Amino acid sequence: MDFKFTEEQLLIQEAARDFAKTELLPGVIERDEKQEFPKAQVKRMGELGFLGMMTSEQYGGSGMDTVSYVLVMEELSKVDASCSVIVSVNNSLVCWGLEKFGNEEQKQKYLIPLAKGEILGAFCLSEPEAGSDATSQKTTAIEDGDHYIINGTKNWITNGASADVYLVITQTHPELKHKGINAFIVEKGMPGFEIGPKEHKLGIRGSDTHSLIFNDVRVPKENRIGEDGFGFKFAMKTLAGGRIGIAAQALGIASGAYELAKAYSKVRKSFGTEICNHQAIAFKLADMHTQIEAARHLVLKAAWEKDQGQNYDLSGAMAKLYASQVAMDTTIEAVQIHGGNGYVKEYHVERLMRDAKITQIYEGTSEIQKIVISRAILEQ
Ligand code: CAA
């Protein structure tokens, strides 16, 4: 076993930490308050190579491994989880999916600018009646000569209004159920494709989440990803890696809150001493640290398995399930340690607590992760 990071991994971790401190921290409270998309910060993240981290250099990416990616996700998420979900979706769901399953023309046309951060991607699976039950797609894509015609509505789409390219999961042959599902690359501005209303959210308020409406959108056949009927496998395989990114996001939210709580406990005094000297507070910090370390091991193990070319469905699901629970528990305790100040925006922990909740919901709820985990262990 080797628990050491490589020099390259340590360098990118440090670069992400510096970037988060100098360029994400200023303005993070205001962006949260105003639900403002971090446009300038996303542009910078593109320049730094954070938007195509795992994409090979040949296709405009940084050519890094998944371990480096989760290290970056953790550092960004400590400070601004709205920014890190944008990074996660573009890397894990859009660029990774296109590099793995797209054809050469699709990679040249879409993957290169996406990985360079020149344009942004979105992944569109969820529908009003197909969130967890992802096989029940109602959005249709019907063949018409050299095109497919897409009709339907997608919900809760990250980067909904800000993306340029959308990977859209649709049903073509309902009689074949999940084997009739197709995934398409849809461009913003294609006639009939409308951005629906923006969601007003509890957390990750800087990330823009919209419904999307497709009214007879004509998409050329060359924009289908993979063979006819490959769409559900595409979504599942892509999401399996996405879950590692969200697990790393949850880990970052937890460790960000923990670091703030620990620092606060060393300066805030009560009963004549710094509050970290009270066992009630010290034991909370001990629990937080232990749980975060356990989550970190699960996240890194899943990333390492992916880098080794092993199956990571189980380890990714366990990492997401556990790290998201740790994010909730840790942020709640971080608010508690801050007392009254924890309830005040300028101390950051109340935002981290609100941001933590989504990690138990998107890219497969905790209950869905338990389905994936239980099925996998019962097969062993
Ligand atoms: N890799 C490859 N194939 C997979 C797979 C995987 N990880 N998981 C399932 N499949 C395949 C199965 O093998 C099966 O194919 P075959 O019939 O050919 O064998 C097919 O998919 C259907 O699988 P199931 O019978 O297991 O399907 P199910 O209806 O029981 O559902 C599920 C499985 C795991 C619950 C799945 O529906 C699921 O993951 N649901 C959650 C969806 C989700 O994560 N939504 C989040 C939205 S995206 C998002 O949040 C992005 C964002 O913006 C942040």
Side-chain angles (χ1 to χ4, degrees):
M1 280 176 119
D2 184 359
F3 282 98
K4 283 203 198 84
F5 293 121
T6 64
E7 207 169 303
E8 195 188 31
Q9 288 163 347
L10 288 170
L11 278 173
I12 192 77
Q13 182 187 42
E14 201 185 324
R17 190 176 294 150
D18 285 351
F19 170 75
K21 203 169 147 198
T22 54
E23 300 192 46
L24 296 186
L25 189 58
V28 66
I29 294 173
E30 292 72 21
R31 291 195 296 275
D32 171 72
E33 248 171 46
K34 294 182 192 155
Q35 288 219 116
E36 187 183 302
F37 184 79
K39 206 170 170 194
Q41 290 75 6
V42 171
K43 186 168 180 287
R44 280 287 294 137
M45 291 194 294
E47 289 161 5
L48 291 167
F50 291 166
L51 292 177
M53 286 198 67
M54 294 173 291
T55 309
S56 55
E57 289 174 18
Q58 172 193 3
Y59 294 116
S62 306
M64 291 191 182
D65 58 10
T66 315
V67 169
S68 301
Y69 168 58
V70 300
L71 292 176
V72 168
M73 278 298 296
E74 181 182 352
E75 294 305 322
L76 302 179
S77 307
K78 281 181 188 176
V79 176
D80 189 347
S82 295
C83 276
S84 70
V85 72
I86 298 165
V87 170
S88 177
V89 167
N90 205 67
N91 272 284
S92 309
L93 300 184
V94 180
C95 289
W96 188 87
L98 281 176
E99 181 157 21
K100 184 88 180 157
F101 303 112
N103 61 33
E104 191 54 33
E105 289 72 36
Q106 293 168 347
K107 289 180 197 178
Q108 292 296 332
K109 186 169 178 188
Y110 300 108
L111 177 58
I112 292 176
L114 281 163
K116 285 183 173 172
E118 292 167 358
I119 59 173
L120 199 60
F123 182 83
C124 315
L125 172 71
S126 302
E127 297 186 353
E129 289 175 40
S132 291
D133 183 9
T135 60
S136 294
Q137 295 290 312
K138 298 275 191 306
T139 299
T140 53
I142 306 302
E143 274 186 81
D144 182 33
D146 291 342
H147 287 76
Y148 281 86
I149 302 184
I150 300 185
N151 278 291
T153 303
K154 294 287 173 185
N155 269 33
W156 312 294
I157 304 303
T158 304
N159 299 340
S162 306
D164 306 279
V165 167
Y166 299 76
L167 306 189
V168 184
I169 315 299
T170 62
Q171 181 56 270
T172 299
H173 313 284
E175 68 287 0
L176 299 179
K177 303 205 164 104
H178 68 268
K179 290 188 165 67
I181 289 176
N182 277 314
F184 292 94
I185 305 167
V186 177
E187 293 175 28
K188 182 183 253 165
M190 280 181 165
F193 175 28
E194 278 171 48
I195 314 292
K198 181 170 176 157
E199 303 292 352
H200 293 280
K201 296 177 300 188
L202 173 73
I204 54 160
R205 288 167 53 83
S207 130
D208 85 311
T209 309
H210 286 253
S211 52
L212 303 175
I213 301 132
F214 301 84
N215 272 321
D216 288 333
V217 181
R218 285 177 72 78
V219 179
K221 266 193 175 159
E222 65 248 28
N223 281 26
R224 192 184 69 209
I225 301 171
E227 294 299 307
D228 190 17
F230 180 67
F232 195 70
K233 287 259 184 227
F234 169 78
M236 288 296 110
K237 282 178 183 282
T238 305
L239 275 169
R243 288 168 185 162
I244 301 176
I246 299 303
Q249 180 187 46
L251 171 64
I253 293 171
S255 49
Y258 162 75
E259 284 170 16
L260 288 168
K262 189 170 87 169
Y264 183 81
S265 75
K266 289 180 173 181
V267 293
R268 168 77 178 173
K269 289 188 178 164
S270 73
F271 302 100
T273 184
E274 288 78 16
I275 60 171
C276 62
N277 296 323
H278 299 307
Q279 203 175 59
I281 302 299
F283 277 17
K284 280 189 198 298
L285 292 168
D287 282 339
M288 290 156 95
H289 182 74
T290 307
Q291 287 159 10
I292 288 168
E293 271 303 288
R296 185 171 287 120
H297 282 77
L298 282 175
V299 172
L300 287 169
K301 171 90 180 325
W304 178 84
E305 284 186 1
K306 184 163 176 282
D307 288 335
Q308 299 305 307
Q310 297 177 14
N311 185 301
Y312 49 88
D313 291 357
L314 173 61
S315 57
M318 290 195 300
K320 182 177 183 294
L321 174 68
Y322 187 70
S324 60
Q325 185 61 53
V326 171
M328 273 321 294
D329 295 347
T330 306
T331 53
I332 287 172
E333 287 295 57
V335 171
Q336 192 69 15
I337 290 172
H338 279 76
N341 282 333
Y343 218 62
V344 173
K345 287 191 184 300
E346 68 191 84
Y347 286 84
H348 297 285
V349 285
E350 64 81 33
R351 185 186 71 259
L352 290 165
M353 185 182 84
R354 288 185 284 105
D355 288 350
K357 186 60 200 167
I358 191 61
T359 65
Q360 295 187 309
I361 298 173
Y362 58 20
E363 300 205 22
T365 61
S366 293
E367 292 73 15
I368 290 294
Q369 305 313 322
K370 288 184 192 179
I371 293 179
V372 174
I373 295 165
S374 57
R375 284 181 182 174
I377 56 177
L378 290 168
E379 266 173 23
Q380 285 171 351

